[in-house]
Amino acid sequence: MTDAEATGSRRERCALAAAFLLSETTQDAAVAASALVALQLFGGYEESLFIVIVMTMLLIGIQLSHVVGRRGWTLVLGGAAVCGAAGLAMLGAALSSNFGPRNAGMLAIAGSVLLGAHRAAHMLYRFAALEIGGVACMGEVFAAATLGGLLGPQLLIDLGLQKGLVWAAVAQLVAVIPIMLATRGRDAATAADRATAEDSGRSITAALRKLRDAARGDALLRLALICGVTSWAIMLLVTVPAAAIAVASFKMTTCAAIRALQVHDFLMN
């Protein structure tokens, strides 16, 4: 899809940036909290909950592109916002003394599954931005991500781990409103295509198909994709348990450990 075909209004573009900001807040709050929650619940295994998040993301992420093509962005991004809010709330609830160790662990795992569903859809915002407002809109969306990367961990610093997760969940639930403002018009405009075409050819499915076809005939592109995925995985393996290791092994305060993740998120964005 070219910029000329992406005719999103200023309101739609601003709403999408606001929705992505709140989605990034959820994602980075989950990254900052998952290892700390696992440390408190399991006495170790800092990466366990985030592994559940990533595995869920990988299992359903590929299918979401087809759901977008057939049902539209509002359903996928709105549903992901609800999943993210529920997942954060469940992680926060798992820290409550009202649950025994077994029930708290199961609650945290279930919350991580929902956060994996949220993360899978979160990765698709760039395609929504391209479809709604073109390359300029994608730049605006990723600029908002920088603020979200700071806001999510900051909630945990200012409010504590449990309350911070709950308020991050509230913020993610609010994201349903800008998601609807940003995507309902585009979904309505392409509803007829989705109803009559076997493959709607929307930007996300078309882009993924082009990438797949190009990779089949280009060994260097396949190598670049493998290197990119591998480096991303290594980064997560180092980043996710960093806060818990800093607290458990280096006796840093929780606030200082989360602050280090904020610096990482800021530099990465």
Side-chain angles (χ1 to χ4, degrees):
M1 176 170 291
T2 65
D3 281 0
E5 295 170 306
T7 57
S9 67
R10 170 56 60 179
R11 187 188 70 171
E12 290 173 331
R13 292 166 62 172
C14 290
L16 189 66
F20 190 65
L21 186 156
L22 295 171
S23 184
E24 186 73 21
T25 298
T26 293
Q27 176 175 272
D28 286 295
V31 169
S34 62
L36 294 170
V37 172
L39 183 64
Q40 289 192 32
L41 295 180
F42 309 132
Y45 306 100
E46 292 88 353
E47 294 181 348
S48 57
L49 293 179
F50 198 77
I51 288 173
V52 174
I53 293 173
V54 171
M55 292 304 297
T56 304
M57 178 192 74
L58 294 176
L59 286 172
I60 70 172
I62 266 305
Q63 300 304 318
L64 281 183
S65 65
H66 301 293
V67 178
V68 170
R70 289 168 174 79
R71 302 298 299 275
W73 289 108
T74 305
L75 176 67
V76 171
L77 298 184
V82 174
C83 286
L88 288 175
M90 292 171 78
L91 282 187
L95 297 174
S96 171
S97 58
N98 295 328
F99 296 96
R102 182 184 179 122
N103 290 335
M106 294 302 295
L107 197 61
I109 292 171
S112 298
V113 170
L114 292 174
L115 287 170
H118 167 268
R119 192 180 183 94
H122 178 82
M123 305 293 287
L124 304 182
Y125 266 93
R126 67 200 67 197
F127 294 101
L130 281 172
E131 184 170 330
I132 291 171
V135 175
C137 182
M138 188 168 68
E140 295 164 357
V141 162
F142 277 93
T146 302
L147 180 57
L150 298 175
L151 180 59
Q154 191 64 42
L155 288 172
L156 306 182
I157 292 173
D158 291 341
L159 302 176
L161 190 56
Q162 187 176 22
K163 287 185 178 180
L165 285 169
V166 171
W167 280 105
V170 172
Q172 179 58 93
L173 199 56
V174 171
V176 173
I177 297 172
I179 286 171
M180 293 180 67
L181 289 174
T183 61
R184 286 184 68 184
R186 190 72 193 179
D187 285 345
T190 55
D193 293 338
R194 291 199 308 275
T196 57
E198 179 180 349
D199 188 332
S200 66
R202 297 176 66 128
S203 63
I204 180 171
T205 49
L208 291 176
R209 183 179 294 106
K210 287 179 182 178
L211 181 61
R212 178 198 65 191
D213 294 342
R216 284 176 175 173
D218 191 334
L220 287 178
L221 178 57
R222 291 197 299 272
L223 178 61
L225 291 172
I226 292 171
C227 290
V229 170
T230 303
S231 63
W232 180 76
I234 293 173
M235 180 272 293
L236 287 178
L237 287 173
V238 173
T239 303
V240 170
I245 292 173
V247 171
S249 300
F250 296 98
K251 309 306 178 186
M252 289 177 65
T253 65
T254 301
C255 290
I258 295 176
R259 188 78 69 190
L261 289 179
Q262 281 184 307
V263 174
H264 160 79
D265 290 334
F266 179 77
L267 293 175
M268 186 175 67
N269 286 327

